[in-house]
Amino acid sequence: MVTRRSFVAGNWKMNGLKKDGLSLAKSLVSKVKKLDNSNVEIVICPPFTLLATTGSALKGTKIKLGGQDCHFSNTGSHTGDISASMVKDAGCKYVIVGHSERRINHREGNDIIKKKAEAALLNGLTIILCIGETLNQRITKKTQTVIRRQIVGSLPKSSRSKNTIIAYEPIWAIGTGKTATPSQAQEIHKFIRYQLVKCIGPSESKKMRIVYGGSVKPENAKALLGQPDVDGGLIGGASLVSSDFFSIIQSCS
Ligand code: PGA
């Protein structure tokens, strides 16, 4: 029987100035220090402007730093973009790729996301690869087709359980207060794991962490993250309140 280490990441999105980031990170560090459990891998993904400040507050703690995106090129004429090597250089060990807000707001398709993911892996980052369906796709029963296409289209060949975490984030549940029910989440996570068998083989598929994202809160975390194929969470809104984020971490302990 394979045991997968729980994984919880906070996606701060475009929130926070230096003072906010620093106090949020410090408050979280002091809470996590009291957590006598090394079984949960904890990551926070602040905006790029806060990586340095937040990173300094996290130094020497068990909370690791992640970026929210990266470009697929290493250098060059890409105004406003940040490369995977820059994300790494800024102190990150992780990077989110394929978040639905990038897919929708920046029209990123599976091919671009795959290139970003490949660049991140080449630079030694662990990717948090986001996939998920829209409400319309769910209603019209296209969820599995969409998820399968996203996995096949955006998962790099070199993805393995040690360098990749899949985040299932139904778009209709992100920032809306609507969550998938624990059984809806489990159903899709199980389906994702089954699809992964075809891409990376049965043994790696069993080991790969698949986390849930979409309006996870302290009140629903235990039930959602307690499902057999749900290995943790990617947390947006609730990660901006240290007591809420900490309570979600505790749900995985
Ligand atoms: P939410 O965001 O927790 O605010 O729904 C999750 C995410 O977008 O990663």
Side-chain angles (χ1 to χ4, degrees), residues 11 13 99 101 169 173-176 213-216 234-238:
N11 176 9
K13 308 193 179 185
H99 192 281
E101 285 150 16
E169 300 205 305
I174 297 179
T176 57
S215 298
V216 179
L234 178 55
I235 319 300

PDB file of all heavy atoms in Angstrom, residues 11 13 99 101 169 173-176 213-216 234-238, ligand 1:
ATOM      1  N   ASN A  11      -2.304  29.675  -2.465  1.00  0.00           N
ATOM      2  CA  ASN A  11      -2.133  30.498  -3.659  1.00  0.00           C
ATOM      3  C   ASN A  11      -2.670  31.897  -3.327  1.00  0.00           C
ATOM      4  O   ASN A  11      -3.877  32.092  -3.273  1.00  0.00           O
ATOM      5  CB  ASN A  11      -2.916  29.854  -4.813  1.00  0.00           C
ATOM      6  CG  ASN A  11      -2.889  30.684  -6.076  1.00  0.00           C
ATOM      7  OD1 ASN A  11      -2.162  31.669  -6.177  1.00  0.00           O
ATOM      8  ND2 ASN A  11      -3.694  30.282  -7.055  1.00  0.00           N
ATOM      9  N   LYS A  13      -2.518  34.473  -5.055  1.00  0.00           N
ATOM     10  CA  LYS A  13      -2.983  35.194  -6.256  1.00  0.00           C
ATOM     11  C   LYS A  13      -2.451  36.637  -6.242  1.00  0.00           C
ATOM     12  O   LYS A  13      -1.334  36.844  -5.799  1.00  0.00           O
ATOM     13  CB  LYS A  13      -4.510  35.119  -6.372  1.00  0.00           C
ATOM     14  CG  LYS A  13      -5.006  33.678  -6.290  1.00  0.00           C
ATOM     15  CD  LYS A  13      -6.433  33.495  -6.685  1.00  0.00           C
ATOM     16  CE  LYS A  13      -6.805  32.030  -6.582  1.00  0.00           C
ATOM     17  NZ  LYS A  13      -8.140  31.737  -7.057  1.00  0.00           N
ATOM     18  N   HIS A  99      -3.034  27.255 -14.040  1.00  0.00           N
ATOM     19  CA  HIS A  99      -4.190  27.662 -13.225  1.00  0.00           C
ATOM     20  C   HIS A  99      -5.300  28.175 -14.154  1.00  0.00           C
ATOM     21  O   HIS A  99      -5.024  28.823 -15.166  1.00  0.00           O
ATOM     22  CB  HIS A  99      -3.784  28.753 -12.228  1.00  0.00           C
ATOM     23  CG  HIS A  99      -4.837  28.991 -11.200  1.00  0.00           C
ATOM     24  ND1 HIS A  99      -5.961  29.746 -11.462  1.00  0.00           N
ATOM     25  CD2 HIS A  99      -4.974  28.532  -9.936  1.00  0.00           C
ATOM     26  CE1 HIS A  99      -6.732  29.751 -10.388  1.00  0.00           C
ATOM     27  NE2 HIS A  99      -6.157  29.023  -9.449  1.00  0.00           N
ATOM     28  N   GLU A 101      -7.199  30.574 -13.968  1.00  0.00           N
ATOM     29  CA  GLU A 101      -7.196  32.028 -14.182  1.00  0.00           C
ATOM     30  C   GLU A 101      -6.178  32.417 -15.256  1.00  0.00           C
ATOM     31  O   GLU A 101      -6.330  33.433 -15.919  1.00  0.00           O
ATOM     32  CB  GLU A 101      -6.942  32.750 -12.851  1.00  0.00           C
ATOM     33  CG  GLU A 101      -8.204  32.711 -11.985  1.00  0.00           C
ATOM     34  CD  GLU A 101      -7.965  32.713 -10.490  1.00  0.00           C
ATOM     35  OE1 GLU A 101      -6.848  33.046 -10.047  1.00  0.00           O
ATOM     36  OE2 GLU A 101      -8.914  32.360  -9.754  1.00  0.00           O
ATOM     37  N   GLU A 169      -9.012  21.436  -9.865  1.00  0.00           N
ATOM     38  CA  GLU A 169      -9.746  22.617  -9.429  1.00  0.00           C
ATOM     39  C   GLU A 169     -10.924  22.863 -10.368  1.00  0.00           C
ATOM     40  O   GLU A 169     -10.762  23.495 -11.424  1.00  0.00           O
ATOM     41  CB  GLU A 169      -8.825  23.841  -9.445  1.00  0.00           C
ATOM     42  CG  GLU A 169      -7.619  23.716  -8.543  1.00  0.00           C
ATOM     43  CD  GLU A 169      -7.092  25.088  -8.125  1.00  0.00           C
ATOM     44  OE1 GLU A 169      -6.804  25.916  -8.989  1.00  0.00           O
ATOM     45  OE2 GLU A 169      -7.018  25.315  -6.917  1.00  0.00           O
ATOM     46  N   ALA A 173     -15.934  26.066  -8.821  1.00  0.00           N
ATOM     47  CA  ALA A 173     -15.780  26.067  -7.362  1.00  0.00           C
ATOM     48  C   ALA A 173     -14.716  27.064  -6.900  1.00  0.00           C
ATOM     49  O   ALA A 173     -14.517  27.244  -5.701  1.00  0.00           O
ATOM     50  CB  ALA A 173     -15.413  24.668  -6.884  1.00  0.00           C
ATOM     51  N   ILE A 174     -14.045  27.719  -7.853  1.00  0.00           N
ATOM     52  CA  ILE A 174     -12.943  28.605  -7.459  1.00  0.00           C
ATOM     53  C   ILE A 174     -13.455  29.986  -7.085  1.00  0.00           C
ATOM     54  O   ILE A 174     -14.047  30.682  -7.905  1.00  0.00           O
ATOM     55  CB  ILE A 174     -11.882  28.711  -8.576  1.00  0.00           C
ATOM     56  CG1 ILE A 174     -11.255  27.334  -8.807  1.00  0.00           C
ATOM     57  CG2 ILE A 174     -10.823  29.741  -8.221  1.00  0.00           C
ATOM     58  CD1 ILE A 174     -10.220  27.308  -9.902  1.00  0.00           C
ATOM     59  N   GLY A 175     -13.242  30.339  -5.820  1.00  0.00           N
ATOM     60  CA  GLY A 175     -13.612  31.670  -5.339  1.00  0.00           C
ATOM     61  C   GLY A 175     -15.107  31.922  -5.325  1.00  0.00           C
ATOM     62  O   GLY A 175     -15.553  33.048  -5.151  1.00  0.00           O
ATOM     63  N   THR A 176     -15.899  30.879  -5.503  1.00  0.00           N
ATOM     64  CA  THR A 176     -17.350  31.061  -5.609  1.00  0.00           C
ATOM     65  C   THR A 176     -18.076  30.685  -4.315  1.00  0.00           C
ATOM     66  O   THR A 176     -19.246  30.975  -4.148  1.00  0.00           O
ATOM     67  CB  THR A 176     -17.922  30.138  -6.715  1.00  0.00           C
ATOM     68  OG1 THR A 176     -17.561  28.787  -6.397  1.00  0.00           O
ATOM     69  CG2 THR A 176     -17.372  30.498  -8.075  1.00  0.00           C
ATOM     70  N   GLY A 213      -8.674  21.806  -5.220  1.00  0.00           N
ATOM     71  CA  GLY A 213      -8.765  23.246  -4.995  1.00  0.00           C
ATOM     72  C   GLY A 213     -10.111  23.764  -5.438  1.00  0.00           C
ATOM     73  O   GLY A 213     -10.679  23.298  -6.432  1.00  0.00           O
ATOM     74  N   GLY A 214     -10.618  24.750  -4.710  1.00  0.00           N
ATOM     75  CA  GLY A 214     -11.904  25.353  -5.054  1.00  0.00           C
ATOM     76  C   GLY A 214     -12.718  25.549  -3.790  1.00  0.00           C
ATOM     77  O   GLY A 214     -13.376  24.615  -3.322  1.00  0.00           O
ATOM     78  N   SER A 215     -12.616  26.774  -3.221  1.00  0.00           N
ATOM     79  CA  SER A 215     -13.375  27.131  -2.018  1.00  0.00           C
ATOM     80  C   SER A 215     -13.164  26.173  -0.843  1.00  0.00           C
ATOM     81  O   SER A 215     -14.107  25.880  -0.106  1.00  0.00           O
ATOM     82  CB  SER A 215     -14.861  27.283  -2.349  1.00  0.00           C
ATOM     83  OG  SER A 215     -15.055  28.322  -3.290  1.00  0.00           O
ATOM     84  N   VAL A 216     -11.927  25.691  -0.688  1.00  0.00           N
ATOM     85  CA  VAL A 216     -11.642  24.889   0.515  1.00  0.00           C
ATOM     86  C   VAL A 216     -11.556  25.852   1.696  1.00  0.00           C
ATOM     87  O   VAL A 216     -10.928  26.902   1.622  1.00  0.00           O
ATOM     88  CB  VAL A 216     -10.312  24.097   0.379  1.00  0.00           C
ATOM     89  CG1 VAL A 216     -10.036  23.301   1.648  1.00  0.00           C
ATOM     90  CG2 VAL A 216     -10.348  23.184  -0.835  1.00  0.00           C
ATOM     91  N   LEU A 234      -5.079  22.888  -2.805  1.00  0.00           N
ATOM     92  CA  LEU A 234      -4.527  24.155  -3.290  1.00  0.00           C
ATOM     93  C   LEU A 234      -5.540  25.211  -2.867  1.00  0.00           C
ATOM     94  O   LEU A 234      -6.693  25.199  -3.307  1.00  0.00           O
ATOM     95  CB  LEU A 234      -4.337  24.126  -4.816  1.00  0.00           C
ATOM     96  CG  LEU A 234      -3.795  25.411  -5.469  1.00  0.00           C
ATOM     97  CD1 LEU A 234      -2.472  25.855  -4.847  1.00  0.00           C
ATOM     98  CD2 LEU A 234      -3.607  25.220  -6.974  1.00  0.00           C
ATOM     99  N   ILE A 235      -5.103  26.086  -1.978  1.00  0.00           N
ATOM    100  CA  ILE A 235      -6.041  26.957  -1.274  1.00  0.00           C
ATOM    101  C   ILE A 235      -5.856  28.409  -1.704  1.00  0.00           C
ATOM    102  O   ILE A 235      -4.743  28.946  -1.600  1.00  0.00           O
ATOM    103  CB  ILE A 235      -5.804  26.863   0.264  1.00  0.00           C
ATOM    104  CG1 ILE A 235      -5.525  25.413   0.721  1.00  0.00           C
ATOM    105  CG2 ILE A 235      -6.951  27.495   1.037  1.00  0.00           C
ATOM    106  CD1 ILE A 235      -6.612  24.407   0.440  1.00  0.00           C
ATOM    107  N   GLY A 236      -6.914  29.047  -2.165  1.00  0.00           N
ATOM    108  CA  GLY A 236      -6.848  30.452  -2.560  1.00  0.00           C
ATOM    109  C   GLY A 236      -7.234  31.357  -1.402  1.00  0.00           C
ATOM    110  O   GLY A 236      -6.434  31.607  -0.495  1.00  0.00           O
ATOM    111  N   GLY A 237      -8.481  31.809  -1.415  1.00  0.00           N
ATOM    112  CA  GLY A 237      -8.967  32.776  -0.425  1.00  0.00           C
ATOM    113  C   GLY A 237      -8.595  32.452   1.020  1.00  0.00           C
ATOM    114  O   GLY A 237      -8.110  33.320   1.758  1.00  0.00           O
ATOM    115  N   ALA A 238      -8.791  31.214   1.422  1.00  0.00           N
ATOM    116  CA  ALA A 238      -8.553  30.851   2.823  1.00  0.00           C
ATOM    117  C   ALA A 238      -7.064  30.887   3.194  1.00  0.00           C
ATOM    118  O   ALA A 238      -6.719  30.906   4.376  1.00  0.00           O
ATOM    119  CB  ALA A 238      -9.147  29.473   3.127  1.00  0.00           C
TER     120      ALA A 238
HETATM  121  P1  PGA B   1     -10.207  29.451  -3.796  1.00  0.00           P
HETATM  122  O1  PGA B   1      -9.061  29.371  -4.932  1.00  0.00           O
HETATM  123  O2  PGA B   1      -9.721  28.597  -2.646  1.00  0.00           O
HETATM  124  O3  PGA B   1     -10.262  30.906  -3.434  1.00  0.00           O
HETATM  125  O4  PGA B   1     -11.447  28.951  -4.404  1.00  0.00           O
HETATM  126  C1  PGA B   1      -8.390  28.167  -5.225  1.00  0.00           C
HETATM  127  C2  PGA B   1      -7.444  28.388  -6.362  1.00  0.00           C
HETATM  128  O5  PGA B   1      -7.808  29.114  -7.303  1.00  0.00           O
HETATM  129  O6  PGA B   1      -6.327  27.858  -6.365  1.00  0.00           O
END
